[in-house]
Amino acid sequence: MPHIIVKLWPGRTEEMKQTLADKLAADTAEILAVDMDDISISMEEVAQTDWTENVYQKEILEKKENLYKKPGY
């Protein structure tokens, strides 16, 4: 605990995704006072053409109570 899922458009390099995962893990460990070994992070690429239906509608608009950072679009 915790497990973080990042959804993003395709096109980022493996190095970019690894850097993001490393920074998320470090900040999460510090803020939640957990060991780095307890954190897992996955990246799910979602095509730009599928974003509105599969992410924005289902995970942003329909789950507002779980959303801590709202997008500006």
Side-chain angles (χ1 to χ4, degrees), residues 6-70:
V6 177
K7 297 192 180 204
L8 65 165
W9 290 348
R12 278 36 176 234
T13 66
E14 289 302 311
E15 181 181 0
M16 292 168 83
K17 291 187 270 188
Q18 188 60 60
T19 299
L20 176 60
D22 293 343
K23 290 185 177 198
L24 285 172
D27 284 350
T28 300
E30 179 183 337
I31 292 165
L32 298 182
V34 298
D35 192 82
M36 289 278 287
D37 289 337
D38 294 335
I39 299 166
S40 56
I41 299 173
S42 66
M43 305 272 173
E44 295 180 12
E45 292 188 345
V46 178
Q48 184 176 356
T49 55
D50 297 331
W51 189 266
T52 298
E53 181 180 349
N54 294 327
V55 178
Y56 185 68
Q57 291 289 336
K58 294 178 182 177
E59 299 193 27
I60 296 173
L61 290 181
E62 293 179 13
K63 296 183 179 181
K64 290 179 187 174
E65 68 280 355
N66 294 333
L67 191 64
Y68 285 85
K69 167 63 176 86
K70 296 180 174 139

